[in-house]
Amino acid sequence: MPVVLTLQNGYKRYGDQILLDGASCALADDQKVGLIGRNGAGKSTLCRILLGDEELDAGEVVGSKKLRLGYLRQHDPFLPEETVMGFLMRDSAKPDWQCGQVAWQFAISDAMLGQQVRELSGGWQTRVKLASLLLHDPNLLILDEPTNFLDLRTQMLLEHFLQNFKAGILVVSHDRSFLKRTCTHTLEISRGELTMFPGDVDAYLQNLEERREHDERANAATLTKRKQLERFIAENRANANTASQARSKAKQLERLQMVEVAGKEQSVRFSFPKVEPRQGPALRTEDLAIGYPDRMVAGDVQVEVEHGARLGIVGDNGQGKTTFLRTICESIPPKRGRLKWGYGVHIGVYAQHVYTSLPENDSVEDYLYRQAAPGTKDQQIKDVAGSFLFSGQLAEKKIKVLSGGERARLVLAGLLLEQHNVLILDEPGNHLDVETVEALADALHRYPGTVLFTSHDRYFMHTVATEVIEVRDGRVISYPGTYDEYVYRTQKEIDDGLRAEAARHPDTQSGGGADDKKARARADRDSQKRLKAVERKIAKLDDERKALTASQATLTGAKEAQEAHAKLAELNAEIGSLESEWLELWEEVEG
């Protein structure tokens, strides 16, 4: 278990906020670590520090000589009109057969390898970047929220990849089920400290709660013992017969120590506005077609949503889930047909990227006052702000200094101050921490209004959705089953697809086809021949060096001695160069 990257006594702060306070951790090349922590605790900052993209205030990051660091890039690394195969070969400098055998692990078909990358959906582009990442052969991956905006199918492929990855990973994710499936260790960042635990996230949180309860019981027992000793000392120290016992008890009292128990961190409290339950259809569509002026996304959409339903919308990226939501909340017009909302419907919308368009120079409090429904009392606004962890001075913070998670919380807080009986939520869990996602899911589960939403978080979908609509292949239809059944079907499709691709690539484990294997065998033989030739040359020059060194003892003239010294320096330099060449050839042969 070689350690390849270490943070030693790291300190980092932004203004009054301390992110790292003498924190340390070590990452090995065979550990799969899930990094957890509250929004704003410093998870992304820690990743940037480990990647070398941000400096510590004090302390250091030390990478071993064997470290090959890889990270999933969020930006677009593709060239105009570049094909998938062209990008993989350019980015990795690997031959086409090797790029192809890695690509199929992410269900990238041979036909897709010839397509332009920019024509693919975001989920498929992520698969291409993952294939490229694997081709670089890293021994430590750092992935910051890799599941954000990924559809279920791509998430499952990413899980499969990480489960079979033979090196170390550090993953930041708000998706607890994803962490549980991919990580064997848990690293928590909290109050400036880092704590590593040899178990998955569920085991860690259970252990944390058990330790807290144990320490609280131990402190309660200590307090009881302290009171008993204090009473005995008070009653017996003035009595000559028992004074020595009282002094002994006083020493025992001094040795009693309380265990420091860290209080639980604050949690967001969701409380949706009270709405009157309604009967009948909340939404009905008739011959609806959705899309944009230049293209059709789906047609013949016949959907009826009853009041009180919690409708989860599923489908791969690029199929049209967001387009459907934008159409029904009337931010884009239908291409044809009509949709009708029921009487008395008041719609609240959480858009996928809404937090990026907030007024930067407003404070948290300014934004909430502007979003609140007319007649909302000041104390109610302050209560909502506090329940979303924006109390006191935090309510005066400017939006421009908030993290992505804090902005997402702020938008949700504003939504709760409005009066809605229908909520349309597009990926509400992105950028929220694990605890906040679970609190939102539980609140929506209790909400008596109507919810139409999409999310790639399986826990969230499982908890909230009572019905499922699937957007796929130009259609929007009610799925004949539960969300869990949809997940099962998707996993089966992926497994069947991977098995089919494996059957089409029988030489994957050992390389490409017969011609490729012959070419690599020839290359191996050539490398071995060159290695032997370098070994012979080193041995010959070493003999010359020994002979020259021995002859120096018999030299008497200054000129002869100077020439011998120069020749010896020349031999040493040549031998050093050959030894470096030998090492490179040896690593090539061994690899």
Side-chain angles (χ1 to χ4, degrees):
M1 189 180 71
V3 172
V4 291
L5 189 62
T6 305
L7 171 66
Q8 297 177 350
N9 202 29
Y11 289 84
K12 184 70 177 181
R13 68 186 301 160
Y14 289 123
D16 296 333
Q17 186 180 12
I18 298 174
L19 299 180
L20 297 175
D21 189 14
S24 299
C25 69
L27 300 174
D29 69 355
D30 64 345
Q31 284 182 337
K32 296 181 178 180
V33 181
L35 175 59
I36 64 172
R38 296 300 179 89
N39 284 136
K43 300 186 296 295
S44 293
T45 301
L46 176 61
C47 288
R48 291 194 297 271
I49 287 170
L50 294 175
L51 288 166
D53 294 338
E54 191 160 335
E55 296 289 331
L56 287 165
D57 297 335
E60 63 177 339
V61 175
V62 181
S64 77
K65 292 181 179 179
K66 295 183 178 180
L67 174 65
R68 299 187 304 279
L69 195 58
Y71 65 100
L72 183 61
R73 291 168 290 193
Q74 299 300 323
H75 69 278
D76 183 347
F78 312 118
L79 297 178
E81 300 183 4
E82 188 170 42
T83 65
V84 173
M85 179 61 82
F87 165 71
L88 293 177
M89 293 178 66
R90 174 180 65 83
D91 188 68
S92 67
K94 296 292 193 300
D96 56 358
W97 64 265
Q98 196 168 354
C99 294
Q101 75 175 35
V102 170
W104 78 259
Q105 295 182 46
F106 296 95
I108 300 172
S109 65
D110 292 344
M112 191 175 289
L113 290 172
Q115 287 186 247
Q116 291 186 17
V117 192
R118 292 184 186 274
E119 293 178 352
L120 305 179
S121 69
W124 282 104
Q125 289 185 10
T126 298
R127 296 190 197 188
V128 173
K129 287 191 282 188
L130 286 167
S132 177
L133 189 63
L134 185 57
L135 283 163
H136 283 278
D137 189 32
N139 58 4
L140 179 63
L141 291 180
I142 294 181
L143 308 176
D144 188 2
E145 296 290 2
T147 61
N148 274 1
F149 311 115
L150 290 188
D151 55 50
L152 176 64
R153 200 175 302 271
T154 306
Q155 277 191 44
M156 288 177 168
L157 284 166
L158 178 57
E159 284 176 4
H160 185 270
F161 162 59
L162 293 178
Q163 287 163 358
N164 292 281
F165 186 61
K166 302 302 182 185
I169 60 173
L170 178 68
V171 183
V172 180
S173 179
H174 62 270
D175 189 334
R176 185 173 291 183
S177 63
F178 179 81
L179 289 175
K180 187 173 174 61
R181 287 180 174 90
T182 57
C183 297
T184 58
H185 290 65
T186 302
L187 181 65
E188 183 184 35
I189 181 169
S190 174
R191 298 184 175 97
E193 297 182 353
L194 289 168
T195 305
M196 182 72 83
F197 177 78
D200 65 34
V201 60
D202 287 349
Y204 171 73
L205 294 174
Q206 182 180 347
N207 178 270
L208 190 67
E209 188 61 32
E210 288 173 353
R211 286 206 325 265
R212 183 181 287 117
E213 291 175 358
H214 174 272
D215 291 344
E216 288 172 349
R217 287 196 300 270
N219 281 346
T222 300
L223 284 172
T224 301
K225 183 70 172 176
R226 177 176 288 176
K227 289 177 182 178
Q228 292 173 344
L229 291 172
E230 287 172 344
R231 186 168 60 250
F232 181 88
I233 293 166
E235 293 173 353
N236 293 280
R237 62 186 172 189
N239 189 322
N241 294 327
T242 57
S244 61
Q245 290 180 336
R247 287 193 296 272
S248 175
K249 296 296 184 184
K251 292 179 180 178
Q252 188 177 344
L253 179 62
E254 289 176 2
R255 290 195 297 270
L256 286 180
Q257 297 290 330
M258 298 287 286
V259 179
E260 184 176 351
V261 181
K264 292 184 178 180
E265 293 193 64
Q266 286 184 296
S267 296
V268 173
R269 302 185 307 279
F270 286 93
S271 180
F272 284 102
K274 292 182 179 179
V275 298
E276 291 296 325
R278 304 180 72 88
Q279 302 293 323
L283 171 68
R284 181 184 289 124
T285 69
E286 297 175 3
D287 191 30
L288 185 69
I290 62 175
Y292 303 91
D294 59 338
R295 65 188 176 94
M296 174 82 76
V297 172
D300 191 26
V301 179
Q302 308 284 350
V303 172
E304 185 170 296
V305 181
E306 294 290 317
H307 277 293
R310 299 193 299 275
L311 194 67
I313 301 166
V314 299
D316 292 350
N317 282 351
Q319 292 292 317
K321 299 188 299 297
T322 296
T323 304
F324 175 66
L325 288 179
R326 291 183 66 193
T327 303
I328 63 174
C329 69
E330 301 178 353
S331 67
I332 59 174
K335 289 186 74 68
R336 70 164 185 267
R338 61 193 294 265
L339 61 90
K340 184 178 180 181
W341 285 101
Y343 175 76
V345 164
H346 300 284
I347 303 171
V349 179
Y350 179 95
Q352 193 172 121
H353 301 285
V354 67
Y355 59 87
T356 62
S357 58
L358 297 176
E360 296 276 299
N361 291 316
D362 277 9
S363 68
V364 167
E365 202 169 56
D366 292 337
Y367 176 80
L368 293 179
Y369 270 91
R370 185 159 47 251
Q371 293 300 115
T376 305
K377 295 180 180 178
D378 285 1
Q379 189 57 50
Q380 186 179 352
I381 294 174
K382 292 182 184 297
D383 288 345
V384 168
S387 70
F388 278 79
L389 312 185
F390 293 118
S391 56
Q393 292 184 339
L394 294 177
E396 299 171 7
K397 288 177 73 173
K398 296 290 186 184
I399 289 175
K400 62 185 175 184
V401 303
L402 299 181
S403 69
E406 289 170 323
R407 290 182 182 219
R409 285 209 315 266
L410 179 60
V411 174
L412 287 168
L415 199 61
L416 299 195
L417 286 168
E418 303 166 15
Q419 296 295 320
H420 306 298
N421 54 15
V422 174
L423 297 175
I424 298 177
L425 311 174
D426 191 5
E427 293 291 348
N430 280 353
H431 301 291
L432 298 179
D433 57 43
V434 170
E435 290 79 7
T436 305
V437 168
E438 293 186 355
L440 175 60
D442 291 341
L444 288 171
H445 181 72
R446 300 189 304 270
Y447 178 59
T450 306
V451 187
L452 293 90
F453 72 101
T454 182
S455 174
H456 295 137
D457 187 311
R458 273 164 280 183
Y459 170 85
F460 189 86
M461 289 290 293
H462 169 80
T463 303
V464 179
T466 56
E467 302 173 33
V468 178
I469 278 183
E470 184 178 21
V471 184
R472 182 175 184 175
D473 300 330
R475 302 183 66 199
V476 180
I477 58 174
S478 295
Y479 184 77
T482 65
Y483 176 71
D484 289 344
E485 289 169 333
Y486 171 76
V487 171
Y488 173 80
R489 190 199 74 184
T490 304
Q491 183 67 66
K492 188 174 185 304
E493 287 179 3
I494 289 172
D495 292 342
D496 291 346
L498 288 174
R499 279 194 292 270
E501 286 295 328
R504 294 179 59 215
H505 298 78
D507 297 312
T508 295
Q509 298 304 317
S510 57
D515 292 340
D516 294 322
K517 286 194 283 188
K518 288 178 181 177
R520 288 195 300 279
R522 282 196 300 271
D524 289 344
R525 288 195 297 271
D526 289 344
S527 296
Q528 288 169 353
K529 287 178 181 177
R530 286 159 54 206
L531 185 67
K532 294 294 184 184
V534 171
E535 286 176 350
R536 289 194 295 270
K537 196 166 184 179
I538 290 174
K540 181 180 177 183
L541 291 176
D542 192 47
D543 289 341
E544 288 183 30
R545 180 171 59 180
K546 290 176 181 176
L548 184 57
T549 302
S551 69
Q552 279 184 310
T554 62
L555 297 177
T556 56
K559 185 178 180 181
E560 290 177 342
Q562 189 175 359
E563 289 176 352
H565 181 75
K567 179 64 175 175
L568 189 61
E570 186 181 327
L571 283 171
N572 284 333
E574 190 173 357
I575 289 171
S577 177
L578 286 168
E579 286 176 340
S580 297
E581 183 181 351
W582 180 92
L583 185 60
E584 290 178 7
L585 286 168
W586 180 82
E587 288 179 345
E588 186 178 318
V589 170
E590 288 296 304

